[in-house]
Amino acid sequence: MKHRLKISFALTFIIATSAFLLSHATPGRSQQEGITTDQVKTTLESMGMKVVESSPGEGEKLLTVMWDHDHFHYETLVSVSLGKWVWFLSPLQGVPDPSKIPADVALELLHQNDQNGGWYFSWDPNQKRFYLNHLFYYAEFTPENLKSNIDLYEKVLAKSLRYWDPKQWDNPNAPVPSIMPQ
C-alpha cells in the first residue's frame, strides 16, 4: 500500500510539474489573444509613421499617428479598446456652420460608407466636424493588412475631398455626387 502511495504521489507530482512547466512554456489562450497599445505603436512606427502617445484620462492611452504621402499630411488618432479592438479616428475639416452643410454632401458621405472597405464617415455635432473611422479586430492588425488599409484610407480621403472639406462645397468644378439624380 505504501509503495502504491509513493508511485501515485510521484506520478501526481510529475504530471503537476509537467503541466506547470508546459503552461509557462506555451502562453495560455488568454495570453495569446489581444493587443496592447505598445504593440500597435510598434507596428505603426515600423511602417515609418510618427507616433505620439498621450493619456487623455487615467489608465487611458491614445496615439496620434502622422505621416506624409503625395504632398498630403495625414494625422489620425488610434486607440485600443479591451485589448481586442484598434480604433482609427481621423478628424477632418471643421464645419463652421453645420446648418450650411449641403444635402448632397451629407448624402454622399453616407453613400461612401458602403464603398470604402470598412472606412466610414461620421459626424460629431459637438466638435462640428466629420471624421473618417476604421475598426480593426486585433487579429486583423497585421503590417500587411494595415498597409493595404492605409493605402485605401488615403484613396478614400482623396476621392471624397469634395464632400468633407467645406472649402470644396462651392466649387463649381467639383464632381456631382454619385447618388444624386442628374
Side-chain angles (χ1 to χ4, degrees):
M1 178 82 169
K2 280 186 177 183
H3 183 59
R4 280 192 215 163
L5 258 157
K6 285 182 182 178
I7 292 174
S8 177
F9 175 75
L11 286 173
T12 302
F13 179 76
I14 290 170
I15 292 170
T17 302
S18 298
F20 174 79
L21 293 174
L22 188 58
S23 73
H24 282 73
T26 306
R29 189 163 175 74
S30 64
Q31 292 170 320
Q32 291 177 349
E33 293 183 358
I35 194 164
T36 66
T37 303
D38 291 336
Q39 290 170 317
V40 170
K41 182 179 180 185
T42 299
T43 301
L44 293 166
E45 288 174 334
S46 73
M47 295 180 65
M49 299 176 171
K50 180 181 178 187
V51 182
V52 177
E53 189 175 316
S54 61
S55 296
E58 189 174 327
E60 296 177 12
K61 285 185 180 179
L62 183 66
L63 304 175
T64 302
V65 183
M66 296 161 273
W67 71 98
D68 295 312
H69 179 75
D70 283 346
H71 309 293
F72 286 100
H73 176 75
Y74 297 95
E75 195 166 311
T76 191
L77 306 172
V78 178
S79 65
V80 175
S81 175
L82 304 173
K84 303 283 185 193
W85 304 101
V86 181
W87 291 90
F88 275 65
L89 179 70
S90 300
L92 304 174
Q93 296 294 323
V95 178
D97 185 357
S99 69
K100 297 199 188 286
I101 298 173
D104 63 333
V105 164
L107 290 173
E108 182 61 20
L109 287 176
L110 283 173
H111 178 67
Q112 288 292 320
N113 285 343
D114 294 329
Q115 301 178 359
N116 296 325
W119 290 96
Y120 64 94
F121 290 95
S122 64
W123 168 256
D124 183 340
N126 295 328
Q127 297 296 319
K128 295 181 183 176
R129 72 175 59 243
F130 291 107
Y131 289 81
L132 183 59
N133 314 285
H134 192 65
L135 176 64
F136 291 91
Y137 186 61
Y138 79 94
E140 300 169 334
F141 198 79
T142 63
E144 299 80 22
N145 192 31
L146 182 59
K147 168 81 172 97
S148 66
N149 268 283
I150 293 298
D151 290 345
L152 181 56
Y153 166 89
E154 292 168 351
K155 289 175 186 168
V156 167
L157 283 177
K159 79 176 183 181
S160 61
L161 175 68
R162 148 84 174 95
Y163 307 105
W164 58 261
D165 183 358
K167 292 179 231 140
Q168 306 295 318
W169 294 345
D170 293 326
N171 182 353
N173 297 321
V176 175
S178 62
I179 61 169
M180 299 302 289
Q182 302 234 5

